[in-house]
Amino acid sequence: HSLYLEFKKNYMKRIIQTTASFFLVLVLFACGGGKTSNITLETTVSADGPFFQGGNSLVADIPLNIKELVGDESLQEVTSVTVTKAVMQMEEGTLASFNNATLQFVSDANPMTTVAIINPISGEGKSVNFTTSDEAEIESFFNEESFTVLLDLDFKEDQYLETVKAKVNMNLTIEYK
């Protein structure tokens, strides 16, 4: 009789362990299942002059269709975005006019957030790579219909130009569910 009770006790223990394991796996799959997409976002930022010594902002509005951008109509929510590379290329003139540059995102629903910097800008070329920020939390911008890219250029001296334009190319890793 005690052998039967021992068997029944072990049997119930296995059922409980199996059920617990099943629910653990179910929870892990429900929480996981995220997808990743690597994309390139290109824009031209611009501002009208004159430009005075110090910070001057060039801007571009970015309309978003995030499902189209990542190529997945099943996308429900962007959970993480990392800028893996950002490059600025002047359309006219060279980088010699600037001390440094800051690349930021801003929108009606989100505060201004720095995503990349160049400090100092050295050289006289037309193109330069930014140092990107791994800590910038920018996923909320990609859950909106649009946001603004702001390139803040620190001019070395006053420049009476009609317009300044720069192309900004960003490689992004987007995680979503």
Side-chain angles (χ1 to χ4, degrees):
H1 185 39
S2 70
L3 188 61
Y4 174 73
L5 289 177
E6 186 69 29
F7 172 76
K8 191 172 179 181
K9 183 178 169 185
N10 286 339
Y11 181 71
M12 291 304 289
K13 195 179 207 180
R14 282 193 194 130
I15 288 177
I16 291 171
Q17 287 174 340
T18 302
T19 304
S21 296
F22 173 77
F23 281 111
L24 179 63
V25 167
L26 186 65
V27 167
L28 289 175
F29 276 109
C31 293
K35 298 178 182 178
T36 301
S37 181
N38 295 310
I39 64 161
T40 300
L41 187 62
E42 300 176 357
T43 190
T44 299
V45 293
S46 63
D48 294 331
F51 301 94
F52 300 104
Q53 181 180 4
N56 291 267
S57 298
L58 283 61
V59 297
D61 290 324
I62 306 293
L64 280 179
N65 180 339
I66 193 66
K67 290 180 180 182
E68 187 178 298
L69 201 58
V70 300
D72 188 344
E73 287 297 319
S74 69
L75 183 147
Q76 295 174 3
E77 179 186 14
V78 174
T79 56
S80 175
V81 178
T82 305
V83 179
T84 57
K85 182 178 181 181
V87 179
M88 173 181 71
Q89 181 175 353
M90 300 305 299
E91 286 201 355
E92 294 179 16
T94 68
L95 297 166
S97 300
F98 314 109
N99 292 311
N100 57 60
T102 304
L103 185 65
Q104 300 171 313
F105 294 168
V106 66
S107 72
D108 291 337
N110 290 289
M112 192 173 298
T113 304
T114 299
V115 296
I117 59 169
I118 307 168
N119 190 13
I121 293 177
S122 56
E124 307 227 351
K126 291 177 109 21
S127 180
V128 66
N129 290 336
F130 284 90
T131 301
T132 58
S133 170
D134 293 337
E135 283 118 39
E137 294 184 13
I138 56 174
E139 59 276 351
S140 56
F141 291 99
F142 290 84
N143 285 312
E144 295 187 45
E145 292 181 10
S146 67
F147 64 91
T148 300
V149 172
L150 184 137
L151 176 63
D152 194 29
L153 292 174
D154 181 18
F155 281 71
K156 291 180 180 177
E157 57 189 37
D158 294 351
Q159 296 215 357
Y160 297 95
L161 303 170
E162 190 172 314
T163 303
V164 172
K165 292 183 180 180
K167 288 185 180 181
V168 177
N169 294 330
M170 293 171 279
N171 293 347
L172 307 168
T173 299
I174 298 178
E175 295 177 17
Y176 61 95
K177 55 182 177 178

